[in-house]
């Protein structure tokens, strides 16, 4: 039995969702890719245990948040990607404007607050009209 049995399928099925979550946490596509890759490397090392008894997706999402917060504590984030809506430029459709507003709103939050909002709002397609504000459980 391959100790990574099912891991490739898990990554194929969940990679886009994990990237979306990582992007919402970091606000930067390159950092999001690094975050997902780092976390998936760690998940792979625990895969046989996770696949047999655990919930791999929940573990991976929690690992994304924990790794992101760890990076935030260790690194100085003096440079933040430009999150301002340009005064002039090309016309944007409503979905683009909503994504920009979402990015601006998330940038104002502390890392822990951002993690809560990102995880609470998961499951809603990114960029959809209902993506912001997230639906809170009743």
């Amino acid at each position: 039995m391959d100790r990574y049995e099912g891991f490739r399928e898990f990554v194929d099925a969940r990679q886009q969702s994990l990237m979306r979550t990582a992007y919402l946490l970091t606000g930067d596509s390159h950092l999001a890719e690094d975050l997902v890759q780092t976390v998936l490397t760690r998940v792979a090392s625990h895969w046989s245990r996770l696949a047999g008894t655990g919930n791999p997706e929940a573990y991976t999402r929690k690992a994304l948040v924990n790794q992101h917060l760890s990076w935030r504590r260790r690194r100085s984030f003096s440079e933040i990607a430009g999150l301002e809506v340009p005064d002039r430029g090309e016309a944007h459709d409503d979905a683009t404007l909503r994504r920009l507003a979402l990015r601006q709103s998330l940038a104002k939050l502390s890392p822990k607050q951002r993690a809560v909002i990102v995880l609470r709002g998961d499951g809603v397609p990114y960029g959809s009209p209902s993506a912001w504000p997230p639906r809170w459980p009743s």
Side-chain angles (χ1 to χ4, degrees):
M1 176 181 234
D2 181 17
R3 76 180 241 183
Y4 298 111
E5 185 176 335
F7 180 71
R8 288 174 190 85
E9 292 80 10
F10 170 76
V11 172
D12 288 342
R14 303 307 306 154
Q15 186 172 14
Q16 291 298 321
S17 176
L18 294 171
M19 278 296 298
R20 186 172 42 250
T21 300
Y23 177 78
L24 290 173
L25 287 169
T26 64
D28 179 90
S29 60
H30 300 291
L31 280 175
E33 289 173 0
D34 291 346
L35 180 60
V36 170
Q37 189 171 31
T38 300
V39 168
L40 287 177
T41 301
R42 291 184 179 175
V43 168
S45 66
H46 300 288
W47 185 253
S48 58
R49 181 172 43 94
L50 285 170
T53 61
N55 181 345
E57 186 170 354
Y59 179 88
T60 304
R61 289 190 184 284
K62 183 170 177 140
L64 276 173
V65 171
N66 290 342
Q67 186 65 44
H68 170 67
L69 294 175
S70 176
W71 283 1
R72 291 287 303 211
R73 284 189 294 269
R74 288 188 185 133
R75 295 181 181 168
S76 170
F77 280 86
S78 58
E79 182 179 331
I80 298 176
L83 299 176
E84 296 180 17
V85 179
D87 293 333
R88 295 184 192 193
E90 55 201 65
H92 296 291
D93 62 357
D94 287 341
T96 302
L97 293 175
R98 282 192 298 273
R99 280 194 306 274
L100 289 171
L102 173 64
R103 289 175 60 191
Q104 286 177 333
S105 298
L106 288 173
K108 293 176 185 175
L109 299 174
S110 73
K112 287 184 180 182
Q113 290 171 327
R114 185 178 185 134
V116 168
I117 295 296
V118 168
L119 292 175
R120 289 279 186 156
D122 194 40
V124 179
Y126 183 67
S128 72
S130 60
W132 192 258
R135 286 184 237 130
W136 304 105
S138 301

